[in-house]
Amino acid sequence: MAKNHHIIFKKRPGVNGEPAEDNFGYEECDYPCDPQNNEVLLKTLYLSIDPAMRCRMNEETGVTYIGPFGIGDRIGGFGGVGVVVKSANPDFQDGDVVHAGFNWQWVENFLETPGEHFPLRKIDSSLVNGQVSLYLSILSLTSGLTSYLGVKVKGHVTPGANQTMVVSGAAGACGSLAGQIGKLEGCSRVVGICGSEEKCQFLTEELGYDSAINYKTKDVSSELQKLCPSGVDVYFDNVGGDLSNTVIKQMNTDSHVILCGQIAVYNKDVPYPPPIPEDVQRILTDKNITRDRYLVLNYPDKFESGMKQIVEWTVQGKLKVRETIEEGLQNAGKAFVSMMKGGNIGKQLVHVGDS
């Protein structure tokens, strides 16, 4: 019988601990039986590695839409791309390349029943010139749609209004797209905040950001004053913590915070969204700055139109994407730990196998 391998969850990092590679285990497991009763046998090609998985490593996730990992359980991630090896489902044929945005298991081969729990979709490989990993980055729910709908629904960008957008975590999976989308939607100036000179160069030279700030080597407050002399109108927040407090202090009246992620506090035992200091909350209140919780799953009626726009911009070359790809399922834990420390540019993925 053919060999199979999966990633299991071995131990918790602790509610205030940083994830480590030994939180994950790479083990051999049984190869699945033939599919029955609408099942499909899938071979994994790519896995999506997402910061939001960090909350599942605690005993309580702090959110209602996903539960915690159990010790010894196989890791179930967000998205994946694979190929149908065998099908007992009339909607899928052997050889179909497919993707799902939720509940893709960290395993080389597995059985699953497509449906609401596992929303499997066929991939049009020709649309992406065979680069099927794009369905986990720019064409995904967790990156592409999250960025687009965040700007559209929460950013209140108005063409011709001379608005300035700031993006934290700007070289990550969402940040790298959000700044480009802000520009395309009508922002006159977009400034990115990230953690290396390489990332700053990527933002300004490849993605069209007007400026970029390396928060590790520059004083963010003074840099923002120079780069955003008229203040900040839209803040796409992927980071939270002290960095976001610094940005909020320079925001204009009636401006908007798009609360996309808070990676700076994912390793801390705090509620989501995390609390902010009293002086920052007072600024939000006095200046009528919106900072509502944003979850892309609340806008399913906008998925189709949003994806249509993303595809159009991508085909036209107006929206660019970068992926950081780790090779081998055995390195999935390594990829997750690296991403949580900012080791990726663009979307972090794992290449598991070929079709």
Side-chain angles (χ1 to χ4, degrees):
M1 181 175 286
K3 287 187 176 182
N4 200 27
H5 297 87
H6 65 171
I7 301 293
I8 65 165
F9 185 54
K10 290 186 69 175
K11 64 178 182 179
R12 304 191 191 281
V15 290
N16 292 309
E18 292 188 2
E21 290 184 45
D22 64 1
N23 297 143
F24 305 90
Y26 174 72
E27 297 184 353
E28 189 170 333
C29 59
D30 291 338
Y31 191 89
C33 301
D34 285 345
Q36 301 177 4
N37 302 322
N38 289 321
E39 291 178 325
V40 290
L41 172 58
L42 298 169
K43 176 185 177 182
T44 301
L45 304 181
Y46 290 93
L47 292 173
S48 174
I49 309 297
D50 298 280
M53 291 179 62
R54 173 61 184 86
C55 69
R56 302 192 69 186
M57 300 176 78
N58 296 336
E59 291 185 4
E60 296 182 3
T61 65
V63 296
T64 58
Y65 60 95
I66 47 174
F69 296 132
I71 301 298
D73 287 353
R74 176 183 293 169
I75 296 285
F78 281 88
V81 166
V83 62
V84 177
V85 179
K86 291 184 180 180
S87 176
N89 187 300
D91 295 330
F92 299 93
Q93 307 300 316
D94 296 3
D96 283 346
V97 181
V98 293
H99 76 105
F102 283 95
N103 298 319
W104 195 284
Q105 300 177 44
W106 284 20
V107 60
E108 291 168 338
N109 303 276
F110 65 106
L111 283 174
E112 190 58 89
T113 302
E116 185 175 349
H117 165 76
F118 189 68
L120 196 65
R121 300 285 185 270
K122 294 181 184 179
I123 280 178
D124 182 358
S125 300
S126 64
L127 184 66
V128 291
N129 294 320
Q131 192 179 346
V132 296
S133 60
L134 293 179
Y135 281 89
L136 298 179
S137 56
I138 199 167
L139 302 180
S140 73
L141 178 74
T142 55
S143 297
L145 273 176
T146 293
S147 303
Y148 176 75
L149 293 178
V151 174
K152 287 288 288 186
V153 175
K154 296 293 187 180
H156 302 278
V157 176
T158 305
N162 198 32
Q163 290 169 299
T164 294
M165 172 187 277
V166 170
V167 182
S168 59
C174 287
S176 59
L177 298 176
Q180 297 179 80
I181 292 168
K183 274 277 192 180
L184 289 166
E185 284 293 303
C187 285
S188 60
R189 186 167 189 78
V190 176
V191 176
I193 304 173
C194 55
S196 74
E197 293 306 314
E198 179 189 6
K199 290 180 179 180
C200 287
Q201 189 174 357
F202 167 64
L203 294 179
T204 56
E205 296 186 6
E206 295 189 38
L207 301 190
Y209 274 66
D210 295 286
S211 305
I213 303 169
N214 181 349
Y215 72 89
K216 293 182 179 179
T217 60
K218 298 289 182 70
D219 179 77
V220 175
S221 180
S222 60
E223 288 296 306
L224 284 175
Q225 289 174 16
K226 288 189 292 185
L227 298 173
C228 310
S230 299
V232 178
D233 303 292
V234 183
Y235 173 40
F236 198 99
D237 185 6
N238 290 299
V239 173
D242 292 339
L243 179 61
S244 290
N245 296 337
T246 298
V247 178
I248 290 171
K249 289 176 181 177
Q250 300 198 31
M251 294 187 72
N252 294 323
T253 299
D254 297 326
S255 56
H256 306 281
V257 178
I258 304 165
L259 198 60
C260 183
Q262 302 282 279
I263 197 169
V265 295
Y266 281 171
N267 293 327
K268 298 179 180 179
D269 185 17
V270 294
Y272 189 87
I276 56 178
E278 287 186 14
D279 62 326
V280 177
Q281 182 59 57
R282 193 157 48 245
I283 291 171
L284 294 174
T285 303
D286 292 347
K287 290 189 172 183
N288 193 37
I289 300 171
T290 63
R291 183 183 175 267
D292 303 323
R293 182 172 186 172
Y294 165 60
L295 181 63
V296 68
L297 295 175
N298 291 335
Y299 304 95
D301 58 313
K302 301 183 185 298
F303 287 178
E304 184 176 352
S305 61
M307 189 56 69
K308 182 180 179 180
Q309 179 64 82
I310 292 169
V311 169
E312 181 180 313
W313 282 335
T314 304
V315 170
Q316 293 172 345
K318 295 180 178 179
L319 199 54
K320 299 176 182 178
V321 64
R322 172 84 70 91
E323 297 173 339
T324 296
I325 300 178
E326 185 72 44
E327 289 292 333
L329 178 64
Q330 68 273 18
N331 291 318
K334 175 185 176 183
F336 180 80
V337 171
S338 173
M339 176 203 60
M340 292 297 292
K341 294 180 178 179
N344 58 302
I345 294 181
K347 180 70 176 186
Q348 178 70 63
L349 303 171
V350 172
H351 177 223
V352 178
D354 297 310
S355 58

